[in-house]
Amino acid sequence: MTESFRRSGEYENPQGPQGDAYQGAYPRQQHASAPSPVNPEWPPPPAHQPTVGPDAEHPAEHPAEHPAEHPEHSVHAKKKRPRGPIALLAAVAIVAAAVGGGTAYAFQELTGKNQVVSSSTTTSVVPSSKRGDVATIAAKVSPSVVEIVATLSSGTSTGSGVIITSNGEIVTNNHVISGAQSVKVTTSNGTSYTAQVVGTDSSKDLALIKLQGASGLTPATLGNSAGVQVGDQVVAIGSPEGLTGTVTSGIVSALNRDVTVSTDEGQQQQQQGGDGRWPFSFGGQQFNGDTGSSTTTYKAIQTDASLNPGNSGGALIDASGDIIGINSAMYSASSDSSSSSSDAGSVGLGFAIPINTVKSDLAKLRSGSTS
């Protein structure tokens, strides 16, 4: 792993209540039987010939050529007639927009300003003209990525985290804070906070921590990892080797990789206590040591963006500046547990937990679960 001690028709004839609404907007014309067919778009002619001019006793010279305009077909009526369904459709559109933007995430929202920000089709972290520009992405997202230092009984664990609410909720890897006696967080501007562990999920290697006394922070925008494709450009931000705010870039090199990590706290502390690398299994091979007998496997995004010890828990970001993953594991060229963390570096095999997995797990983490 990577801490160094640290992806949316045509309307059919409406039925039920909605169908009644449309019938109200377009009342059906009732026509008496006639020898010739009647165009349903026009009402039957009036029972009496219309008159023209101020004196009703003197009919117009050519009444058939100048029939009085029926009220339903006046200019004003033509303007008013479609207002019913247009207003209805507008209302439906407004409701649909509100539901579409909030349903999937409503159960996770906090009150007031402290809400998790999820991406939408109308806003973007990075302007469209700057899409994919690494410098712009880094400038926009770096304030949402923090460094985490956990004090353990056997030493310290350094990793990264992603701010998801303005009052200091932070998502990171479980292995970064597992067994921590205290947790210190430093933001991109150098401000330090003490943090409390809110909930953990070792089966997904996720944890939620909360800063004490924090407000006005810049939350990251969580994207949709379901739309991620191999070859997509990505940017990684974290604190490798304690170097806060380090930015690297690359592409998504594979999807749905089965990454196996240790869920045993003692095993993780043992690894963290030495050189900042921690074990994981991929493709039937062990990396950075032995994962032990207690393990869990999750589907990961594979990237060639450079990840190093300390990137664990940091952000994997798409070209629009949305978070699509939480960096969690890296292949280390050095497998000797006695080597120093400086010998460990990225060789193009890094893994991130998809952000959709994180979003689906937030409610559990906020409940205080410590599984």
Side-chain angles (χ1 to χ4, degrees):
M1 298 302 178
T2 65
E3 88 297 352
S4 65
F5 237 55
R6 56 130 253 151
R7 325 232 95 3
S8 137
E10 294 293 331
Y11 287 104
E12 298 181 357
N13 293 331
Q15 301 294 333
Q18 291 184 345
D20 294 338
Y22 277 88
Q23 290 173 13
Y26 290 101
R28 297 177 178 173
Q29 301 292 343
Q30 301 296 331
H31 305 289
S33 60
S36 60
V38 177
N39 188 333
E41 295 182 1
W42 296 88
H48 304 284
Q49 290 288 356
T51 60
V52 179
D55 190 350
E57 293 181 1
H58 300 283
E61 292 182 5
H62 306 285
E65 296 178 10
H66 305 281
E69 187 174 57
H70 193 282
E72 289 187 11
H73 307 134
S74 68
V75 174
H76 296 293
K78 289 180 180 178
K79 292 183 178 179
K80 293 180 179 179
R81 187 170 184 174
R83 290 177 65 185
I86 289 177
L88 176 60
L89 290 174
V92 170
I94 292 173
V95 172
V99 172
T103 301
Y105 220 14
F107 71 98
Q108 295 171 356
E109 288 188 347
L110 298 178
T111 59
K113 297 181 180 179
N114 302 316
Q115 298 181 353
V116 175
V117 180
S118 57
S119 63
S120 71
T121 57
T122 57
T123 60
S124 179
V125 177
V126 175
S128 58
S129 61
K130 294 291 186 178
R131 177 180 169 85
D133 183 79
V134 176
T136 302
I137 294 171
K140 292 289 187 179
V141 184
S142 288
S144 303
V145 182
V146 301
E147 180 185 57
I148 299 174
V149 177
T151 301
L152 313 172
S153 60
S154 58
T156 60
S157 171
T158 301
S160 306
V162 177
I163 300 171
I164 61 171
T165 62
S166 61
N167 67 339
E169 280 190 323
I170 294 173
V171 170
T172 186
N173 288 143
N174 177 59
H175 72 261
V176 171
I177 53 82
S178 179
Q181 298 174 343
S182 64
V183 178
K184 180 182 177 180
V185 172
T186 303
T187 62
S188 63
N189 64 4
T191 304
S192 295
Y193 296 90
T194 298
Q196 296 293 327
V197 177
V198 177
T200 61
D201 187 348
S202 60
S203 67
K204 296 182 176 67
D205 194 22
L206 291 172
L208 183 69
I209 64 175
K210 177 71 164 57
L211 303 186
Q212 295 182 341
S215 64
L217 301 180
T218 304
T221 299
L222 308 188
N224 181 8
S225 53
V228 175
Q229 297 181 340
V230 173
D232 284 351
Q233 182 180 2
V234 290
V235 173
I237 302 179
S239 300
E241 307 290 356
L243 301 175
T244 303
T246 296
V247 178
T248 57
S249 66
I251 64 168
V252 173
S253 56
L255 296 171
N256 299 316
R257 293 299 200 196
D258 289 328
V259 175
T260 300
V261 299
S262 173
T263 59
D264 182 73
E265 183 176 299
Q267 181 78 6
Q268 293 182 24
Q269 288 192 46
Q270 179 181 354
Q271 294 296 325
Q272 292 167 340
D275 58 13
R277 296 177 298 114
W278 62 284
F280 70 97
S281 175
F282 165 69
Q285 297 181 348
Q286 297 279 343
F287 299 96
N288 305 339
D290 184 4
T291 58
S293 58
S294 178
T295 63
T296 185
T297 300
Y298 57 84
K299 298 289 185 180
I301 299 172
Q302 180 180 308
T303 178
D304 69 351
S306 179
L307 302 180
N308 294 279
N311 272 114
S312 282
L316 187 67
I317 311 154
D318 67 10
S320 296
D322 298 331
I323 310 299
I324 58 169
I326 299 298
N327 297 320
S328 58
M330 54 156 283
Y331 166 74
S332 172
S334 175
S335 59
D336 183 1
S337 60
S338 64
S339 63
S340 67
S341 60
S342 61
D343 296 328
S346 175
V347 293
L349 282 177
F351 303 94
I353 302 168
I355 201 62
N356 286 6
T357 300
V358 178
K359 291 192 288 188
S360 66
D361 207 36
L362 270 179
K364 177 181 179 181
L365 295 172
R366 283 173 167 159
S367 71
S369 172
T370 56
S371 62

